[in-house]
Amino acid sequence: MIGKYRQFSVAPMLDWTDRRCRFFHRILSRRARLYTEMVTTGAVVHGDRERLIGFSCEEHPVAVQLGGCDPRELALAARICADFGYDEVNLNVGCPSDRVQDGRFGACLMLRPQLVGECVAAMKAAVRIPVTVKCRIGVDDQDPEEALDRLTEAVVAAGVDALVVHARKAWLQGLSPRENREIPPLDYERVRRLKRAHPDLPIVLNGGLATLDQAVGELAHVDGVMFGRAAYHTPEILIGVDPLIFGEPAPVANAEEAVELFIPYIETGLAAGARLSEYTRHLLGLFAGRRGARAFRRHLATEAVKPGAGIGVLRAALAHVTQAVEPASTAA
C-alpha cells in the first residue's frame, strides 16, 4: 500500500528532474516523493550508473523510473536500482516520444497489457521495494474504459504496488511529446471511476494539476496526486506541500531561504567541475509574479552559462528580487 509520502509527488520529467533539480525540490518539501528522469534498462545495465542513477541521500523518498519492455532486463535494472538505495521503481507506460516508440516501450505498452503484467511480475520478484506503473488512460483510438481496465487488471494480477495515471490519452502519431501533454483532453473522472472499481489499489492522479487547492480536492477521490510542469516552472508551490497536504511545517519560509540552502550543494558541484548553469536552470521559475523576477531570470540565463561562472552570479541575480521587494527609502 502507498504510504503517507505518496500523497504528493513530483513527476519524472525528461531533461528536467535530474539529481540537482531533485535536491532543490527536497529543500522545498520534506514529504513530496521525487522521481528521476526516465532511464532505459540498457542504460542502467550497461551505462555509467553513478552518472545515470546516482543520487544524494538527502533526496529520499526518491523513486527511479525505468523505460523498457523486456521482463528480464527490467528485473535486472530494478535490482540494480534497489541496490543503489531507491525507495521505489516505476515502469514508464506513458511516454509517447519517438524514442520510446522505436524501442516499443513507454506509451506503446498500453497496447500490450499482458506484457506489462509480465514486466511488473518480473520486477516484483527481483526487488523488495515497491514496484509501480505510470500510464495513460489509453493511446490513439483505444477506448479509455477498456484500455485502462485491461492494463489495471494485468498489473494488479502481477502484484503492482500502485498505479499513477496521467489522465489523458497519448497519440502516438500526429502529436509531439509536448502536444501530448497539452492537447488530449483531461479526464479526471475516468481515474476516479478506476479508483472506485479498485478500492484496494493505490491510485495517483497526474496531468494538468496546477494548484495545491486543486490537489487537496482530488485527494478526496484518489490516494495521491502528482505534479509535473507546475512543480518545475513554479517551484515555490512546493513550499506549501508539507503544511497543506501533510499538516506539517514548511521546511523553508520562502524561495530566498531555499536558494541559500541550495548554495552549499552548488559550491560542492562547482568544485568538482560542474557548471553553474547546471544548477541554476532549475531555479528560473522562482519568484513568479514578483517584482524583479524577470531580471533574476535574465541575469541567470545570460551569466550562469559563461565559463567560470560562480556563486557570485547567483547572488547578483537574487539581488534583483531582493532589491525589488524592499520598500523605497524616503529622503530626509
Side-chain angles (χ1 to χ4, degrees):
M1 293 291 289
I2 287 184
K4 291 175 66 177
Y5 290 125
R6 193 66 60 83
Q7 290 181 343
F8 185 97
S9 53
V10 178
M13 292 177 279
L14 200 59
D15 297 325
W16 289 0
T17 52
D18 63 18
R19 62 191 302 174
R20 298 173 179 94
C21 173
R22 298 192 305 269
F23 191 97
F24 182 63
H25 284 179
R26 178 58 66 225
I27 292 172
L28 301 170
S29 168
R30 296 188 184 95
R31 302 301 298 273
R33 178 164 290 235
L34 307 178
Y35 282 74
T36 70
E37 306 167 85
M38 182 190 70
V39 57
T40 65
T41 54
V44 173
V45 174
H46 304 293
D48 181 344
R49 294 173 186 169
E50 179 57 36
R51 180 178 65 84
L52 292 166
I53 61 171
F55 67 95
S56 303
C57 62
E58 292 88 348
E59 294 175 41
H60 289 293
V62 59
V64 60
Q65 187 182 67
L66 296 178
C69 62
D70 182 275
R72 289 175 297 181
E73 284 193 359
L74 279 164
L76 176 56
R79 189 178 304 116
I80 292 169
C81 292
D83 289 344
F84 257 70
Y86 279 97
D87 300 294
E88 170 194 324
V89 59
N90 177 267
L91 176 61
N92 185 317
V93 187
C95 180
S97 72
D98 292 340
R99 176 189 179 196
V100 302
Q101 290 187 54
D102 290 342
R104 297 185 179 181
F105 60 98
C108 299
L109 289 173
M110 291 295 300
L111 299 166
R112 305 179 70 185
Q114 182 177 351
L115 176 58
V116 177
E118 293 170 2
C119 291
V120 170
M123 295 161 74
K124 286 287 294 181
V127 301
R128 294 184 178 180
I129 60 175
V131 174
T132 65
V133 168
K134 187 173 187 291
C135 67
R136 295 284 184 128
I137 62 173
V139 296
D140 297 337
D141 293 322
Q142 280 186 318
D143 177 356
E145 298 298 323
E146 179 182 357
L148 188 55
D149 281 348
R150 288 181 62 199
L151 181 79
T152 302
E153 290 166 3
V155 299
V156 167
V160 76
D161 291 286
L163 187 62
V164 182
V165 185
H166 186 157
R168 284 187 174 97
K169 267 191 173 184
W171 288 92
L172 302 178
Q173 302 295 329
L175 293 181
S176 69
R178 178 177 180 177
E179 290 170 331
N180 262 300
R181 293 191 295 267
E182 300 171 349
I183 293 177
L186 288 161
D187 191 352
Y188 292 166
E189 183 54 37
R190 177 66 188 95
V191 183
R192 295 170 184 171
R193 288 197 300 275
L194 184 72
K195 177 59 190 177
R196 290 196 293 269
H198 296 271
D200 295 328
L201 173 65
I203 293 177
V204 177
L205 176 67
N206 173 234
L209 296 168
T211 71
L212 292 182
D213 286 343
Q214 186 183 14
V216 171
E218 292 302 328
L219 285 171
H221 307 285
V222 293
D223 302 283
V225 290
M226 176 180 279
F227 276 41
R229 286 168 291 165
Y232 189 84
H233 291 309
T234 55
E236 283 168 283
I237 197 172
L238 297 178
I239 298 176
V241 166
D242 293 4
L244 287 177
I245 304 295
F246 297 100
E248 299 177 1
V252 292
N254 50 46
E256 289 93 335
E257 181 182 347
V259 174
E260 288 296 332
L261 292 173
F262 194 37
I263 284 176
Y265 179 78
I266 299 175
E267 289 176 327
T268 299
L270 295 180
R275 296 172 67 101
L276 181 65
S277 59
E278 295 175 31
Y279 300 84
T280 57
R281 71 188 186 95
H282 302 302
L283 307 181
L284 297 178
L286 289 174
F287 312 115
R290 290 175 54 179
R291 292 174 55 202
R294 182 177 300 178
F296 170 81
R297 292 193 301 271
R298 184 169 56 243
H299 190 88
L300 288 182
T302 58
E303 300 299 321
V305 297
K306 295 180 179 179
I311 294 300
V313 169
L314 177 55
R315 292 201 180 279
L318 281 171
H320 288 290
V321 181
T322 303
Q323 292 170 2
V325 298
E326 289 177 349
S329 60
T330 303

